[in-house]
Amino acid sequence: MKTHYIADLTPGTRLETTFLIQSKERKTASTGKPFLDLELRDTSGVIRAKVWDCDRLDQGFEGDDFVLVQGHVEAYKGTPQVVVSKIRRCADEEIDPRDYFPRSARDPEEMYAEILGRLERMPEGPLRTLLLAVVQDPEIAAKFKLAPAAMSYHHAYLGGLLVHVLSLIQLGDQVSDHYTSLRRDLILAGLVLHDLGKIEELSFTRGFRYTTRGQLLGHITIGLEIVRAKLRDIPDFPAALKDQIEHIILSHHGQLEFGSPKEPMFPEALVIHYLDNLDSKLESMRAQYAADKDRASDFTARNPALKRELLKPKLD
Amino acid sequence: MKTHYIADLTPGTRLETTFLIQSKERKTASTGKPFLDLELRDTSGVIRAKVWDCDRLDQGFEGDDFVLVQGHVEAYKGTPQVVVSKIRRCADEEIDPRDYFPRSARDPEEMYAEILGRLERMPEGPLRTLLLAVVQDPEIAAKFKLAPAAMSYHHAYLGGLLVHVLSLIQLGDQVSDHYTSLRRDLILAGLVLHDLGKIEELSFTRGFRYTTRGQLLGHITIGLEIVRAKLRDIPDFPAALKDQIEHIILSHHGQLEFGSPKEPMFPEALVIHYLDNLDSKLESMRAQYAADKDRASDFTARNPALKRELLKPKLD
Amino acid sequence: MKTHYIADLTPGTRLETTFLIQSKERKTASTGKPFLDLELRDTSGVIRAKVWDCDRLDQGFEGDDFVLVQGHVEAYKGTPQVVVSKIRRCADEEIDPRDYFPRSARDPEEMYAEILGRLERMPEGPLRTLLLAVVQDPEIAAKFKLAPAAMSYHHAYLGGLLVHVLSLIQLGDQVSDHYTSLRRDLILAGLVLHDLGKIEELSFTRGFRYTTRGQLLGHITIGLEIVRAKLRDIPDFPAALKDQIEHIILSHHGQLEFGSPKEPMFPEALVIHYLDNLDSKLESMRAQYAADKDRASDFTARNPALKRELLKPKLD
Amino acid sequence: MKTHYIADLTPGTRLETTFLIQSKERKTASTGKPFLDLELRDTSGVIRAKVWDCDRLDQGFEGDDFVLVQGHVEAYKGTPQVVVSKIRRCADEEIDPRDYFPRSARDPEEMYAEILGRLERMPEGPLRTLLLAVVQDPEIAAKFKLAPAAMSYHHAYLGGLLVHVLSLIQLGDQVSDHYTSLRRDLILAGLVLHDLGKIEELSFTRGFRYTTRGQLLGHITIGLEIVRAKLRDIPDFPAALKDQIEHIILSHHGQLEFGSPKEPMFPEALVIHYLDNLDSKLESMRAQYAADKDRASDFTARNPALKRELLKPKLD
Amino acid sequence: MKTHYIADLTPGTRLETTFLIQSKERKTASTGKPFLDLELRDTSGVIRAKVWDCDRLDQGFEGDDFVLVQGHVEAYKGTPQVVVSKIRRCADEEIDPRDYFPRSARDPEEMYAEILGRLERMPEGPLRTLLLAVVQDPEIAAKFKLAPAAMSYHHAYLGGLLVHVLSLIQLGDQVSDHYTSLRRDLILAGLVLHDLGKIEELSFTRGFRYTTRGQLLGHITIGLEIVRAKLRDIPDFPAALKDQIEHIILSHHGQLEFGSPKEPMFPEALVIHYLDNLDSKLESMRAQYAADKDRASDFTARNPALKRELLKPKLD
Amino acid sequence: MKTHYIADLTPGTRLETTFLIQSKERKTASTGKPFLDLELRDTSGVIRAKVWDCDRLDQGFEGDDFVLVQGHVEAYKGTPQVVVSKIRRCADEEIDPRDYFPRSARDPEEMYAEILGRLERMPEGPLRTLLLAVVQDPEIAAKFKLAPAAMSYHHAYLGGLLVHVLSLIQLGDQVSDHYTSLRRDLILAGLVLHDLGKIEELSFTRGFRYTTRGQLLGHITIGLEIVRAKLRDIPDFPAALKDQIEHIILSHHGQLEFGSPKEPMFPEALVIHYLDNLDSKLESMRAQYAADKDRASDFTARNPALKRELLKPKLD
C-alpha cells in the first residue's frame, strides 16, 4: 500500500514508497558523471527524480514500470525533486492502479451500485436479463469499474467510463420521459452497452494506451463481441431485438467517417448517438476549463478534440 | 369562415366554400372541349375539381390563390371530385391560413401561453427582459404562433415552430437539472431564440416557401437582426451576454458546412446545438413513420433529410 | 421442375410452367374491360403477360411470388407475350431459385469444389482448420453456393460470390508468389472470409434485396459474427491470429467512408483490400461492356458504381 | 513621441525611448545571476534587450505592454542588443500604435481621402447615402484608418484594410466598365462594406489578435450589425436593396466551409467574392516574396494561407 | 445555303431547306398508321415534323444527320409543324454548322481579328512569337473561330470560346494596369492559351459533345500538347518560361478536385484562374437570366453549374 | 573513387575521402573558439565532423556540396566523429552519386537488362516500338537507372524506380494471365511508362528534391511530354492507342484529388492504378518495418504516407 503521495512531498522528506515511472533517461552531468533522470508519477501528480549511483541501481526497471523508491526530497531551482538511494521494480500484484493515475471524484463501487440498482428496477424481460448478465459478469465488472471512457478526449481517468455511463443513464431516463413513444429499455440498454468495448480497447493498468486488439478492431467491434457472447447464453432472446442492440452499438458514432459503419436508423439509436456526443463534449469542455483556469485570456487553449478554443465561463 | 372540409365531401354534396388552389391546368377533353383541371386543398386534404365552363369562369385566379367555389361532388373512377359551377378569387382578409394547411395537433394559443408562462417564471434579469420583449412583441407573436419549423424537413406544419420550441424548453430544463454547472437561463434563451428567424425566412400564408429575404440571408442572419433590434431597447444589457446570445444563434447548426459560420464555443451553445438536432430528427423520423405506416416493408422509404431508410417500429 | 424458359417462347407455344412475378398491375383496356398486366421472369429473361379473366384469376399472388402459369404465347406489336388461362401461386419448396435469376456461367458445385480443394492443400494449422470449418458447414455452404457478390454493383447473379472468391484465390496465390515475405495462408483466409457476411446481408431467394439484418448491420459485421462462431469451436486458436483475421474482414473496404471502421494495418490486409477492389471493378466493367455492346458510341453509359463512362474495347 | 527606432540602433548608441515588449522571460546567467531577457519591437524591427538589475527593475510591465527604456546598445555575438538601465510602463495615451507595428507604405489619411472622394462622386441615391454615413462616422473612420485587413493572411499591417479596399475599388470600377450590365454602385458598396467587421473583429492597438467578440461572431456578422445600424438611420432605404447589401457581405467568402452561410446569388455578389479573393491572395504572395527574397531556392517557403510553395519571380 | 429558318415558319409556308435532325422516332397513329416523328433544328430554333409516307421516305438518315427537307407547314394544336413530302441526307460539305447551332452575337471573324490585333501589339519576344504561331495556325484558327467555350456550362454556342477569350484579354489588360508588378505578357499568354484544348475536347460540327480524345484526356492535357508542338518550333524559347506557360494551363482550374493537378504557384497563374472563373460564371448567370426571364418568381430555376438559384435583377 | 565508407570508420582511423555535406553550421565552443559543425553522409550512413581551424578552412563549400576530407576519427561521448584537417569542394565529375545515397539492393544494370529483355520479348507492333524507343534512349536510360521512385514515400533510394517498375511488370504479367480479356501489351506499356516523369520531376544527384519543373508540372505531365516526343518519331502509331497510353499515364493516381485529372476509364488503366498502389504501399510498409524493427511496441510509428501505425509482423 502506498504511503507517500507526490502532492505532499516537501524538501527534507525521507520516503520509501511506490511510483510509476513515466520516463527514464540516462544523462551526463556537467561534471561528466552519468545519472538517471526519472519522472515519477502517482495519482496526485508528477515529480522528477535523480539516481546518481546509476551504474549500480539502474537494473530491472524501465518506463511504465512500478518501482519502490527509497530516498529523500531536495529543492532544485526552487522545485522539489527526489534523490534516490534505492530503487527496485515492483510486481503487478503489489500495485493498485488507482494509486497511480487520475481517478474519478466519486467512488467507482458506489457508481457501479447505482447503475446496477437502475438495471434491477427494469421490468422483467430479455433486455434486463442481458444487461444484468453483462454488468454482473465478474470479469467485465472489474474492468468496467476501472476503465477510463477514452484515452484523452473525455473522462480520461480511472472510473471515467462509469461516470460517463451513469450520467447517460440519468439523461436517458429524462429523454424517455419527454419523448413518450421511445422504448425506454432499449435506450437504457444502448447507453449501458455502447462503449463497453472500451474495457478491452484501452489498457489502463500501466498507462493509458490502446491494446493491440483495440488498435486493430476498435471498441465498437470489440463491444459487439462481448455483447454477442452474453446474448448466446440467453435462451429465446428475440432475433429482431438482437439486431437492434447491435445496430445501436455499431451506429453510435453517427457517421461513417467517425468509425460507425452504419448511421442510426431508428429513434433510440439516434438518441444514444446524440446523448453520447453531448455528454462527451461537455466533459471535454469541463476538463479544458479546469486545465486553463489560470490562463490570462477570455479563451482556453485550443481543445484538440473539439478543434476550437472555448470561451471561458464568467459572471456577466 | 370555411363551411365544408374536403375530408367530409362525398358524392352528391352541394357546397359553397373556400379552398387553396394547389395547381391549375387547362386541358382538352377527348371530345375536344377545353376544361380546367384543379387541385384544391384545405387543412383536411386535397381534392380534384373540374371547371367545364372555363372560357367564362377562368378569370382572376391562379395557383396559390384562395377561391370561393360553388358546385357539387361527383364520383370519377371511384374517387370524389368537385364539379365547379361558380368560382372566384378571395381576398386575403377573408382567409385564415390554418384552414388550408396542415397544422399542429395542439392549439397554438395554448402552446404560446405555456412558453410565456415558463419565461415569466425566470428570475428577473436581462435575459428574462429580452425574451419577454421578443415573445410578447405583437408582430412577432402573431407569426411565431403560425410558423412551421421548417419547409419540409421537420415540424412542417402551421404551429410547428411552437411545437419544436416548447419541446426544446422542456428538454432544456431537464438537461439543466442534470448538468448543474450550465447556465439555465442562457440555455432557455438560446432555445427560444435560435430559430426565431424562421418567422421571416419562410412564407406560410399561401404555401410553404422561402421568402426572397429568407433565401438571400437565411434564418440565422434574420434571427440575429430581430434579436438585436430588441436588445437595443433594453438599457444596460451586458455586452458580453449579448455576444453569447448572438453566438448561440450563429452556431446552432454546429458546423460551417451546415450554415453556421462559427462552431459552438461554450457548453450552453453546444447543448442548444445537440438538443435542436435531436428534436428535429426525432420529429422527422416520426413523420416518416406516419407517412409510411402502410408500406409493406420493415423499412420506410428513404428519408430525404436523414438520407437513409428507417427501421419501422414494432413490438419485439 | 421448370419446363419452359422465356428465351425459347415463340408465338403459338402452349405452356404450363413456373415464373417469378416481377411486377403486377391492374389496368383497364380501351374497351373498358379490366385486365392484369404482368411481368414474368425466369433465368433466361423477362416476358409480359396478360390475364383477361382477372376478376376470377387474380387471387393469392403478388409481385415477387412464384406462380404456375397455364396459357399460350401471342405476338403483340411484334413482341411475344403470354395470354394466361390459369395461374396459381407456388409454394417455396416447389422452386429452385436458380431457375429464376441470372446465374454464373460456371456450375457452383464445381467452383465450390475447386475452392475446397485449394483449402485442403493448405498446410495443417489453425487457419486451415478455420477455413474448412467455415466452408464445409452445411448451412453456410448452401448459401455460399447461391449468393451473389453484391446487389447490383458487381457479380450480381446467383453464384457470383463463388466466382469472385475463386478469382481472388487465384490472384492471391500469384501475389503471394511475387511478394515472398507475405503470409500466403493469411491472404488466402482473408480472401475466402472477407465477404462471407454477404450470405446473410442479401436475400436472394425471391429477388435480390437487403435483409433487415443486412441493412442494420452490413456484411462486415455479420461476417465477423459467422467467423467468430467458428473460431470459438477451434481449441487454442491463437489470439493474435484471431485479431488479424478480424481486422482483415473489418478493413477490407479500405476507408472509413466506405464502411470499414479501420484501415488496413499490415501488408496482408492491404493486399486483400486492393485485390477485392480490382476484381470487383473489373467485373463491373465487364458487365457494363456486355450491357452496352450495341450502343452506338465509343463509350458506355455511365457506370453507377464507378461513376464514369467507360471506353469500349476495340481493336486498334 | 518616439525618438529612436530599432533599425537605426548601433553599438554605442545611448537611448531613452519607447518600445512594445514582444516577449519577456526571466533567465539565469551561467554565473548564476538572474536577468530579464526581453524582445522589444517598434515599427522598424525587433531587438533583444537585457535587464541585469532585474530584482529592482522588473516591476509593473509584462509582454504586450509599452515601456520607456533608458540604456545603451552593445554588440553580442555580432548582433546589437540593448542593455537596460531604467525601464517603466507607459500609459496608453503616451502611445501612437503606428510607431510600434508594421504599417502601410501610403499614408492612411491620404488613402481614406481617396476612398471618400470616390464615394462622393457616386450619383445621389440610397447607396451613396449609406456609404458616406458609414465611412464618415468618426468612430468607424478612426478604426478604418488603422485596421489591418487580416491577422496574418494578407495586408497584416496598420492601414492594411484601407490598402485592400482602395485596391478593390479601383478594380471594381474596371470590372464595372467591362461588364456593362453590372450595377456599378452595388459593386462599389459591396467592396467598401464587405470587410468592415474587421474593425471590431481584430484588436490592433497592442498586438494583432482577435477580440472576444470577433472570435465568437466573426467579421461577417459584426459587419452586418454595423451596416444595419446605419441603414436604420436612412429613411426609405429600399428593402430589396438592403437584402442585397446584406447578402453581399454574408456571401463574400464564397462557400459555406469558408464561413459564408450563403453563396453569391447574383452577379455583383459574385464579382465581390472573386475580386476580394484575387486581391487578398496576390497580396499574400507579394508578402511571401518579400519575406523570402534571400532564400536560396526557386521557391518560397510554404505560404500558410495558400498552402503551397510559390515560384519566385525572376527575369526569364 | 440555307433558305428558310425555323423562327420564320408559319402555317401555310412551303419550304425546301436543310435542318439538323435532333431526334427521330417511329410511332403509330391512332389509326394504326406508322409515321416518323422528327425534331428539326437550325440556329433559330426547333420545330416538330411528321413524315407520313415513312416506309418509303425513312432511308439513310438518323439523329444528328443534316437533311434536306421538302414540305409545308401546318398548325397542330396551335403549334406549327412541318409535314414532310421529301427528305434526304446532306453531305457534310453542303453544310455550314453556324446555320444549325446557337452562335455568338458578334461575328467570329471580327472577334478573331480583334484578338490578333492585340497580340500583334505585344512587344517582340518569345511569348508574342508563340501566341501568333498558335493563333495564326490555319487549322487551329478555323476551330478557334467555331468552338464553344463549354458543352453547356457557359458560352455554349458557336464562337463562344472567342467571346470568352476576348473578354478575358480585356479584363487581363485592366488587371495588369492595376497590379503593376504582374507580367502583362504572361497573363495575356495564359488567357489566350488556357482553354485552347477545347477545340479538340469538344465536337461541335454535328452537335455539342465530347470527342473520345476529349473524354479520355480533357482540354488541359490536350491544350498542353498543342502548345508544346508550337514551342518546339520556336528556337531558343526560354525553358523557364515554357514551364510557366505550361503551369498556367495546368493550374487554371485552381484545385485538384476540379481537374487541375497543380494549384497556381505564382501571381499570373492565380490571376488567370480567377478571371477565368469570374467570366465563366458571370456568363452562366447571364444565360440563366435570359432563359428564365418569364419565370414568375424573384429567383431563377437552379443553375446546374453554380448549384444554386439566382436572384433575378430588377430595378430597386 | 571513394575509399572509406562511414559505416567502417572507427576511432583512430586516418582518412582522405569524399562525402556529401548534409548540413553545415558555424558554432562557438565553450572556450569561445569558433568551429564548423558538419554532418557528412555517404551511402553507408551519416557521421558528424568538426573543423577547428575554420577561419582558414571554411572556403568554397556549403550544404549539398561534395567535399574531399582529410582527417582522423575520434570518439566523442561514445560516438565516432571526424576531426578535419583539410577539406575542399569536389567537382561533380569526380563523383558517382551512388556512393552517397541509399541505393537499391540489386544492381541497376541487371534490373534494366531484365526490363529490356521483357520488352524485347513483346510481339512486334507499335507498343513494342514505343517502349524500346523510350527505354533505350541513352539520356532516358541513364536517369531511369538512377532515379528513386519517390522523394520519401516509397522506393526512396537510387534505383528505386527500376525496382518498382520491375516488380510491376512481373505482377502485370500474372494479372494478364488471370484476366484473359485484358490487353497484356497495354498493361505492360502502362506499367513501364506511368512513372517515367519521375526522372525529371525529382533531382537526385545532390540530394532528393523536386526540380523546379517537377514542382510546377508534376511527373504525370512531364511523363506525357517524354512519351509524346517518342510517339512523334514512330510513323503510323495508331491515334486511338496513343490516346489510351496517355490516358493511362494521366489516370494512374486514380482520383482527381490525388492529381489525376481523369479516373481510369477502361480495364487496363484500372489495373495499372491498383497495381501501382499496391506495390508502392507494400514497399512503404516494408521500409517502415525495417526502420522500426527495434521499437518496443506491437506497432510501428505512424507511417506518414499511409497515415496510420502498422502492426509489426511476428510469428503467431
Side-chain angles (χ1 to χ4, degrees), chain F residues 86-105:
Chain F
K86 274 198 188 164
I87 181 167
R88 73 151 173 90
R89 191 173 165 190
C90 302
D92 279 9
E93 52 275 16
E94 300 178 71
I95 295 300
D96 179 342
R98 281 167 297 182
D99 288 337
Y100 304 92
F101 296 108
R103 58 191 184 202
S104 57

Side-chain angles (χ1 to χ4, degrees), chain B:
Chain B
M1 229 216 75
K2 204 165 149 58
T3 52
H4 287 85
Y5 282 91
I6 286 167
D8 305 326
L9 299 181
T10 50
T13 316
R14 310 214 135 255
L15 57 86
E16 176 168 5
T17 193
T18 48
F19 299 101
L20 175 69
I21 296 182
Q22 186 151 287
S23 73
K24 169 190 166 188
E25 205 176 347
R26 198 180 175 100
K27 291 183 172 172
T28 307
S30 50
T31 61
K33 204 175 140 185
F35 68 99
L36 290 187
D37 189 22
L38 307 177
E39 274 186 329
L40 304 176
R41 100 178 270 170
D42 65 23
T43 186
S44 74
V46 172
I47 195 167
R48 197 160 282 273
K50 286 216 165 59
V51 185
W52 287 110
D53 188 5
C54 67
D55 288 332
R56 192 175 54 89
L57 293 178
D58 182 7
Q59 288 182 34
F61 59 90
E62 296 298 330
D64 281 330
D65 280 338
F66 294 95
V67 285
L68 177 68
V69 168
Q70 200 172 316
H72 67 281
V73 181
E74 282 182 3
Y76 177 75
K77 292 189 184 179
T79 317
Q81 67 172 22
V82 176
V83 179
V84 177
S85 52
K86 274 198 189 163
I87 182 167
R88 73 155 174 88
R89 190 174 166 189
C90 302
D92 279 9
E93 51 276 16
E94 300 176 73
I95 295 300
D96 180 342
R98 281 167 298 181
D99 288 337
Y100 304 92
F101 295 106
R103 58 191 184 202
S104 58
R106 283 191 69 188
D107 176 35
E109 292 297 340
E110 196 183 301
M111 292 188 287
Y112 176 79
E114 197 171 328
I115 292 172
L116 200 59
R118 176 64 188 86
L119 300 182
E120 284 166 344
R121 285 195 303 279
M122 291 176 74
E124 291 292 329
L127 282 175
R128 182 178 186 275
T129 307
L130 169 65
L131 292 176
L132 287 176
V134 167
V135 170
Q136 292 185 318
D137 176 308
E139 205 176 326
I140 293 174
K143 289 176 180 170
F144 191 35
K145 289 174 192 167
L146 216 49
M151 277 281 288
S152 59
Y153 160 24
H154 68 101
H155 300 88
Y157 46 80
L158 294 178
L161 184 56
L162 281 182
V163 173
H164 181 46
V165 167
L166 186 53
S167 171
L168 285 174
I169 287 177
Q170 293 161 351
L171 265 182
D173 272 327
Q174 293 180 334
V175 168
S176 300
D177 289 343
H178 183 62
Y179 295 107
T180 53
S181 69
L182 297 179
R183 287 173 291 172
R184 179 186 299 268
D185 55 355
L186 192 54
I187 287 180
L188 184 52
L191 293 173
V192 171
L193 299 177
H194 77 291
D195 265 354
L196 192 65
K198 298 257 172 145
I199 67 176
E200 295 184 11
E201 184 191 35
L202 301 175
S203 150
F204 38 84
T205 51
R206 307 214 131 213
F208 290 3
R209 64 181 59 114
Y210 288 102
T211 60
T212 294
R213 180 168 167 72
Q215 192 144 341
L216 286 178
L217 302 181
H219 69 272
I220 285 181
T221 301
I222 295 171
L224 274 181
E225 184 168 27
I226 300 173
V227 171
R228 282 168 167 174
K230 287 297 168 205
L231 283 167
R232 278 194 305 275
D233 297 339
I234 304 175
D236 303 323
F237 196 94
L241 189 56
K242 172 172 181 291
D243 290 346
Q244 290 167 28
I245 289 285
E246 293 183 7
H247 175 79
I248 286 174
I249 295 173
L250 208 61
S251 71
H252 83 268
H253 286 180
Q255 289 175 256
L256 273 69
E257 50 272 49
F258 299 148
S260 269
K262 291 283 172 178
E263 296 180 311
M265 291 175 124
F266 48 85
E268 292 78 9
L270 194 80
V271 165
I272 283 148
H273 164 57
Y274 277 120
L275 295 189
D276 178 37
N277 251 273
L278 178 63
D279 195 65
S280 312
K281 289 195 173 137
L282 284 179
E283 169 65 17
S284 186
M285 284 186 162
R286 191 205 55 71
Q288 189 74 50
Y289 288 141
D292 288 358
K293 68 173 184 299
D294 297 327
R295 195 172 187 263
S297 164
D298 283 0
F299 286 86
T300 65
R302 186 176 170 82
N303 179 298
L306 297 172
K307 298 198 183 74
R308 68 196 86 146
E309 292 80 28
L310 306 177
L311 180 73
K312 292 166 71 173
K314 59 178 169 187
L315 301 178
D316 309 296

